[in-house]
Amino acid sequence: MKTPLITILDDEPEIRQILTEALEEAGFRTQSFARAREFEASLKRVTPDVCLVDLSLPDTDGLSLVHRLALEQGAAVIIISGRAQVQDRVTGLELGADDYITKPFDPVEVVARVRARLRSGPRPATQSGNTAHFSGWIAHFDRYMLEDDSGTETPFSHAEGEVLRLFLDSPKRLISRGQMQEILGGAAGDSFDRAMDVRISRLRTKLREDPKNPRLIKTIYGAGYIFLGDVSWS
């Protein structure tokens, strides 16, 4: 089996060295970059399994880069940043990041978060393709796009797509927070719960759900969520 490739984008050489050593000792391949320009050029040649991205970059806005990675590359993204405010974390997750680690960090935790992302892997092959049809919508998972019955398309991020696919793979079945954490990976706790809240909220907005009475993604308080639509795959 091919060894997973982890890319590191951080302008601090000490951070790049610490992460490189920890990840390679754990058995991963790594590439590290100090500038977004070099990092994005590498994406044209090879697709990493996980991207570790700092937000404070000298040549681009880190949040915009995370958003592009999630939408255009479909890449798994873990933000590593000195920005520790809750709003920074929420914004990063809203823009498509899969996880958010604040500096200073323990390299062991970073390795554990990377492993959690990789354990989630591709969605189980319970359907026959990458296109789902439900309630007047089409979800194109090969290009991260939602299409309504008029043909209007709305992009969704890699992180949002993971949650949507989880629902579409198990329609009309209760999915608990614990099951979501086990399947999607990530450390259990408030950070994971906030990430799920953000992703589900954004999915409801893109599906034009009434936030007070959503018809597709229903919250069962104290238990989890149920997706109520009929789903077919092609």
Side-chain angles (χ1 to χ4, degrees):
M1 180 168 43
K2 189 175 181 181
T3 303
L5 173 63
I6 315 301
T7 60
I8 303 159
L9 175 58
D10 197 299
D11 66 331
E12 298 181 58
E14 298 86 355
I15 296 293
R16 296 198 304 275
Q17 181 177 354
I18 289 170
L19 289 173
T20 295
E21 291 176 355
L23 289 163
E24 291 186 351
E25 184 176 344
F28 299 113
R29 294 181 297 138
T30 67
Q31 288 183 323
S32 64
F33 304 91
R35 297 290 185 272
R37 181 178 62 255
E38 301 163 354
F39 170 73
E40 291 187 280
S42 77
L43 295 176
K44 298 177 182 178
R45 302 187 299 271
V46 62
T47 301
D49 295 282
V50 178
C51 302
L52 303 178
V53 179
D54 184 28
L55 295 183
S56 299
L57 300 169
D59 59 338
T60 194
D61 173 55
L63 287 172
S64 296
L65 176 60
V66 167
H67 196 47
R68 292 199 302 276
L69 284 170
L71 289 181
E72 298 172 11
Q73 297 288 333
V77 182
I78 298 177
I79 293 173
I80 297 183
S81 175
R83 304 180 192 176
Q85 298 297 317
V86 171
Q87 186 56 51
D88 292 317
R89 299 169 67 90
V90 169
T91 300
L93 294 168
E94 283 182 338
L95 291 176
D98 297 273
D99 206 345
Y100 195 114
I101 301 172
T102 56
K103 298 178 181 178
F105 56 80
D106 186 328
V108 174
E109 179 186 3
V110 176
V111 171
R113 299 283 189 100
V114 168
R115 282 178 171 153
R117 286 300 315 129
L118 293 171
R119 276 199 304 271
S120 68
R123 297 269 57 83
T126 58
Q127 68 288 325
S128 59
N130 278 319
T131 303
H133 303 255
F134 60 96
S135 304
W137 291 93
I138 304 174
H140 301 278
F141 287 96
D142 54 344
R143 53 193 181 92
Y144 295 87
M145 200 69 66
L146 278 170
E147 180 182 349
D148 67 13
D149 53 9
S150 71
T152 301
E153 294 188 333
T154 302
F156 57 86
S157 71
H158 172 85
E160 293 159 1
E162 284 193 318
V163 177
L164 178 60
R165 191 147 194 171
L166 176 60
F167 287 140
L168 297 180
D169 279 344
S170 303
K172 301 181 180 178
R173 290 172 53 191
L174 177 68
I175 301 175
S176 70
R177 287 290 184 109
Q179 289 172 313
M180 296 177 77
Q181 189 275 328
E182 182 179 351
I183 294 170
L184 299 179
D190 290 344
S191 178
F192 178 82
D193 289 343
R194 284 198 298 269
M196 291 303 103
D197 289 342
V198 167
R199 296 181 200 181
I200 291 169
S201 175
R202 290 181 66 84
L203 282 173
R204 283 172 169 161
T205 297
K206 292 178 180 182
L207 292 169
R208 301 171 196 153
E209 294 266 75
D210 178 354
K212 296 181 179 180
N213 186 30
R215 62 189 180 88
L216 288 175
I217 304 174
K218 301 287 286 188
T219 300
I220 309 301
Y221 290 100
Y225 300 93
I226 294 179
F227 185 85
L228 296 179
D230 293 315
V231 182
S232 63
W233 291 87
S234 62

